[in-house]
């Protein structure tokens, strides 16, 4: 296949499987300016699928850096109503959202972490209806990736720029099954395997998970009584199936916000808002972070944890084997969309409420009492290692080995 044929196939996959555009729907695309060619491919595929219209919001990381360097914090947190409404308006119209990630992992190095955190918090508050719709599963959305030169050179620092771009494109295409015989059919097969995992975990009804490895992780994560595991795609409120992340290798649920204890140590760097956080760890007590450290990016991590009360608690627990399609590429992507699917991970902040059984019939207070965390952030961080052990603990204390040497234990397969 030619490169252009792969781009067309990739766009069709994102449209037909990712957000699963239906006839007469509007498609909102968020895209970096340097990836405009892919937004056009998305638009073409969307209209062919029957979309009513395609609206593109362009972003510019370098312009964002300039604003953060020179504008005051007061200016940065003053989110114009029209800008927030440009998202919230479509979230209320059964539109689908497709977000393209391409950021240079170090584009905001040297910027005051407090300014970055303040702007992100204000933006999240202004677009809360959109965020809530995404976190509850009441709208269909998808995140996919396109290389940028800065990102490619971070991943492949010893390669000439053009070669680095080609290598990153090849890795992305491999991760999302582009260039193979029938990517849509392959994704359906992949979904079936993830469904088998979630069915097993939902039958087991674990009360808690216990993590240990040689990095220093010794963490117990309690689960809500009415939790449910999910993986890959899901059905939206109108019964249409969609896949939020491409790639995805995870099965996940929500932890109980007050039942996390022990220490967890990161296994991979975290790229947060254009800044890298490396070599970090958290100590939890009664669900809350009571101590943390980081070899690199401490102030960025501190600002992240200070976003709100819920930022100091967990909102997601995800299981991914150490040997998976993405981890077998042996590439550190410095991009959470990929690195979180190469490693077991947890997330700070907001919970996916649709990981609770019958969440649709629950009040906000009932959701909170069930153990779901609430926050303006949802930030995944990777904890999987080649020697990770995870034990499932039932309500009566019975233990079942889930992960051994970083992969699913034989009896859990």
């Amino acid at each position: 296949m030619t490169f252009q044929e792969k781009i067309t196939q990739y766009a069709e996959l994102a449209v037909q499987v990712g957000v699963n555009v239906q006839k007469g729907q509007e498609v909102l695309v968020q895209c970096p300016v340097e990836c405009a060619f892919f937004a056009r491919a998305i638009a073409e595929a969307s209209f062919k699928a029957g979309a009513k219209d395609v609206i593109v919001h362009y972003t510019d990381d370098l312009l964002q850096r300039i604003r953060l360097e020179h504008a005051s914090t007061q200016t940065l947190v003053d989110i114009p109503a029209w800008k927030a409404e440009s998202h919230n308006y479509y979230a209320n119209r059964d539109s689908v959202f497709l977000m393209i990630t391409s950021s240079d992992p170090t584009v905001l190095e040297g910027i005051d972490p407090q300014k970055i955190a303040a702007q992100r918090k204000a933006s999240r508050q202004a677009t809360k209806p959109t965020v809530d719709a995404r976190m509850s599963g009441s709208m269909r959305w998808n995140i996919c990736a396109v290389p940028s030169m800065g990102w490619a050179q971070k991943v492949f620092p010893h390669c000439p720029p053009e070669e680095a771009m080609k290598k990153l494109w090849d890795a992305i295409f491999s991760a999302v099954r582009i260039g193979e015989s029938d990517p849509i059919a392959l994704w359906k097969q992949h979904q079936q395997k993830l469904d088998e995992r979630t069915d097993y975990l939902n039958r087991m009804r674990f009360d808690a998970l216990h993590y240990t490895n040689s990095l220093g992780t010794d963490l117990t994560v309690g689960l809500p009584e009415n939790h449910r595991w999910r993986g890959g795609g899901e059905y939206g409120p109108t019964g249409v199936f969609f896949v939020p992340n491409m790639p995805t290798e995870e099965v996940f649920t929500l932890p109980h916000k007050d039942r996390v204890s022990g220490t967890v140590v990161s296994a991979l760097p975290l790229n947060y808002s254009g800044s890298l956080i490396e070599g970090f760890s958290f100590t939890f007590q009664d669900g809350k972070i009571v101590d943390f450290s980081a070899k690199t990016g401490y102030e960025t991590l501190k600002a992240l944890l200070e976003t709100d009360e819920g930022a100091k608690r967990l909102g997601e627990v995800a299981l991914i084997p150490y040997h998976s399609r993405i981890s077998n590429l042996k590439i550190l992507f410095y991009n959470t969309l990929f690195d979180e699917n190469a490693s077991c991970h947890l997330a700070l902040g907001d919970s996916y409420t649709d990981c609770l059984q019958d969440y649709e019939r629950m009040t906000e207070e009932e959701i909170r009492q069930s153990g779901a965390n609430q926050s303006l952030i949802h930030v995944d961080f990777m904890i999987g290692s080649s020697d990770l052990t995870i034990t499932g603990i039932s309500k009566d204390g019975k233990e079942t080995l889930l992960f051994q040497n970083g992969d699913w234990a034989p009896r859990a397969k």
Side-chain angles (χ1 to χ4, degrees), residues 237-394:
T238 59
V240 178
F241 194 79
F242 70 105
V243 178
N245 290 343
M246 286 185 166
T248 182
E249 302 290 331
E250 66 179 315
V251 294
F252 64 97
T253 191
L254 78 168
H256 194 294
K257 65 182 181 65
D258 299 323
R259 296 182 53 223
V260 181
S261 61
T263 298
V264 61
V265 180
S266 66
L268 294 172
L270 170 62
N271 173 25
Y272 179 70
S273 293
S275 298
L276 283 177
I277 307 170
E278 300 178 273
F280 57 97
S281 66
F282 302 117
T283 299
F284 289 85
Q285 182 177 321
D286 297 327
K288 185 177 180 179
I289 293 173
V290 294
D291 193 20
F292 70 96
S293 64
K295 293 180 180 178
T296 303
Y298 178 87
E299 291 301 323
T300 299
L301 184 58
K302 181 173 181 290
L304 168 64
L305 295 174
E306 291 173 348
T307 302
D308 55 27
E309 185 62 25
K312 301 178 183 68
R313 298 178 185 271
L314 294 182
E316 181 188 352
V317 50
L319 305 181
I320 301 97
Y322 185 78
H323 294 96
S324 68
R325 187 181 187 94
I326 300 173
S327 60
N328 287 342
L329 293 172
K330 304 299 181 186
I331 295 172
L332 178 59
F333 283 89
Y334 297 98
N335 181 294
T336 302
L337 177 63
F338 290 85
D339 291 335
E340 74 166 3
N341 283 295
S343 169
C344 283
H345 61 267
L346 303 170
L348 298 170
D350 212 21
S351 297
Y352 289 109
T353 54
D354 53 357
C355 284
L356 289 172
Q357 297 175 8
D358 300 321
Y359 75 97
E360 308 97 323
R361 294 191 285 274
M362 299 170 67
T363 66
E364 188 170 331
E365 178 60 21
E366 288 172 334
I367 288 174
R368 189 187 67 80
Q369 289 184 357
S370 291
N373 192 35
Q374 295 178 329
S375 176
L376 290 170
I377 69 162
H378 179 93
V379 179
D380 300 283
F381 63 97
M382 287 59 76
I383 65 169
S385 64
S386 61
D387 65 346
L388 179 67
T389 297
I390 306 176
T391 303
I393 305 170
S394 65

